[in-house]
Amino acid sequence: MAKKIVSIVGARPQFVKAAVVSAALVEAGLSERLVHTGQHYDANMSDVFFQTLGLPVPAHHLGIGGGMHGEMTGRQLIAIERCLVDERPDVVLVFGDTNSTLAGALAASKLHLPVAHVEAGLRSFNRKMPEEVNRILTDRISDVLFTPSTVATGHLLREGVAPEQIVQVGDVMYDAALRFSQVAASDGTPGLAAGGVLVTVHRAENTDDGEKLAKIATALGTLSRERPVLFPVHPRTRARIEQLGLADRFEAVEMVAPLGYVEMLAVLQRASLVITDSGGVQKEAYFMQVPCITLREETEWVETIEMGWNQLVPSLDPAEIVAQAKAATRPSSSTEQPYGDGRAAAKIAEYLARM
Ligand code: UD1
């Protein structure tokens, strides 16, 4: 009988990662059942990814999103445990660093089911980020750690993870970008005038603190006087902008609903600059060879900084953001590829088939 994998997803970036892995699992002759926790539930945060990326229909949809972190993670833990008891998989696959990742890994580990973590070993070294805590704990209880890069592998080795548990496969997000950018190139989706700026902002540390969000709004508003700026707004951010009455500060910034993945790639292909606090978008900018400004104090994706494609603006000072945006250029050498060869998902599937 084919080996059975249960994959746990719930938030937007996980749908992208799971899509390429799901396709590879089928190719390797494995059977997969998908559990969707419901962490992201708006149509443009969830359904659109299932419709366009070829993900299997979830076998279980738990409908657990919103609420405080402890509550969300706890409710997911209870519900995932029940699914795993029913499904009795050979391996449980979790992705990235969200509350759904931690709940999935913990439920599986308590049932003594082998856990494999895709995108293991990332660290920001900032434990105030919920994602950092989720990563550290998930890595600690995972049996197999699929890392995206040499830097990530190094973090795990330094933390004392046994080398035989670590499998450096490359970044599944790179696989996804290669696979879907072909579709994006032929897709006539609306978007950004060539040379414009693509913005995303959703991190808790930037949206919860009204002063930080106000600085970001001022910077983007100023930029919008000179260049087209497109800002697909995450629901968390939209709610805060309304609460704080910041909409006017964005001036001519075009604020739209969150985009689907293929639409994002299409916009990236036309953008001359990305401004973001997302982990995934920093790398997607690099994959599409677009310079990036990151509105955070640190990044997990240090390679993008070292190669000159990405720059942190920890102060969030509007004048500095605008100055960096004006000065941003593509670095001359761009041949390095620290995130693998675009076959990360296939390597994951091949490894799981052999396990
Ligand atoms: C989560 C992940 C983050 C990931 C991001 C991608 C955690 C701790 N964080 O952050 O790592 O980069 O997803 O988007 O798991 N909401 C809606 N509609 C939705 C989804 C969320 O209105 O479809 C609301 C929620 O009710 C909540 C807020 O937006 O009030 C934030 O959602 P949440 O899932 O807590 O975190 P994200 O910021 O999306």
Side-chain angles (χ1 to χ4, degrees):
M1 221 168 64
K3 198 175 272 176
K4 181 169 168 182
I5 314 288
V6 164
S7 300
I8 316 277
V9 296
R12 187 168 56 172
Q14 288 164 334
F15 306 141
V16 178
K17 290 165 197 164
V20 283
V21 173
S22 283
L25 293 178
V26 172
E27 242 169 71
L30 298 166
S31 117
E32 185 191 35
R33 303 268 287 168
L34 205 64
V35 175
H36 185 333
T37 64
Q39 177 167 349
H40 285 174
Y41 45 85
D42 285 351
N44 53 26
M45 296 290 285
S46 174
D47 300 355
V48 62
F49 294 86
F50 282 82
Q51 287 150 9
T52 54
L53 302 182
L55 271 164
V57 175
H60 303 265
H61 197 303
L62 309 179
I64 303 170
M68 292 182 71
H69 284 256
E71 182 192 342
M72 188 203 293
T73 314
R75 290 173 61 214
Q76 290 175 352
L77 176 67
I78 295 168
I80 293 169
E81 185 176 59
R82 286 189 196 125
C83 295
L84 295 180
V85 167
D86 285 350
E87 293 285 349
R88 304 188 164 279
D90 297 295
V91 180
V92 177
L93 205 51
V94 297
F95 300 82
D97 57 15
T98 72
N99 295 337
S100 304
T101 314
L102 176 60
L106 190 52
S109 163
K110 296 264 183 193
L111 293 169
H112 305 150
L113 295 169
V115 184
H117 183 202
V118 176
E119 205 180 75
L122 287 194
R123 296 292 179 266
S124 67
F125 302 100
N126 173 1
R127 290 217 187 169
K128 292 218 173 98
M129 287 175 70
E131 293 84 359
E132 181 74 354
V133 176
N134 292 341
R135 288 179 195 126
I136 293 170
L137 297 176
T138 301
D139 284 343
R140 202 72 193 89
I141 54 178
S142 292
D143 299 279
V144 183
L145 297 106
F146 293 116
T147 60
S149 64
T150 306
V151 170
T153 300
H155 291 147
L156 293 176
L157 290 173
R158 271 190 295 284
E159 289 175 16
V161 176
E164 56 275 19
Q165 283 180 264
I166 306 172
V167 190
Q168 186 173 322
V169 290
D171 187 353
V172 290
M173 295 287 283
Y174 183 46
D175 297 23
L178 290 177
R179 184 181 180 128
F180 292 105
S181 56
Q182 315 289 336
V183 188
S186 58
D187 197 26
T189 41
L192 188 62
V197 183
L198 173 66
V199 177
T200 78
V201 177
H202 78 274
R203 286 245 97 77
E205 63 261 35
N206 285 337
T207 55
D208 292 356
D209 182 335
E211 220 169 288
K212 289 189 175 175
L213 194 54
K215 284 184 179 177
I216 294 171
T218 304
L220 299 177
T222 309
L223 268 178
S224 75
R225 292 175 204 157
E226 290 176 16
R227 301 162 78 167
V229 181
L230 182 71
F231 180 13
V233 190
H234 187 286
R236 167 207 285 284
T237 315
R238 185 171 289 281
R240 288 294 285 160
I241 291 170
E242 281 166 18
Q243 234 171 30
L244 296 163
L246 288 174
D248 289 350
R249 289 221 201 180
F250 286 90
E251 298 189 28
V253 172
E254 194 186 344
M255 293 163 86
V256 296
L259 301 179
Y261 180 67
V262 174
E263 286 176 301
M264 270 297 273
L265 288 181
V267 169
L268 270 165
Q269 284 168 346
R270 301 171 65 82
S272 67
L273 177 69
V274 167
I275 301 181
T276 190
D277 62 5
S278 150
V281 178
Q282 288 171 53
K283 257 179 317 149
E284 279 155 6
Y286 166 67
F287 298 150
M288 298 291 141
Q289 306 280 280
V290 182
C292 181
I293 290 174
T294 296
L295 304 176
R296 284 181 47 193
E297 287 174 18
E298 70 285 300
T299 178
E300 301 77 18
W301 304 106
V302 289
E303 304 88 351
T304 58
I305 307 255
E306 282 156 12
M307 294 182 294
W309 284 94
N310 190 5
Q311 201 152 355
L312 299 176
V313 184
S315 71
L316 303 183
D317 172 39
E320 194 184 340
I321 296 174
V322 171
Q324 295 290 3
K326 287 184 179 162
T329 49
R330 292 160 182 248
S332 45
S333 92
S334 58
T335 48
E336 260 180 279
Q337 188 40 272
Y339 302 118
D341 58 5
R343 290 194 68 255
K347 289 176 191 166
I348 289 169
E350 285 156 19
Y351 187 92
L352 294 175
R354 282 198 311 269
M355 246 174 94

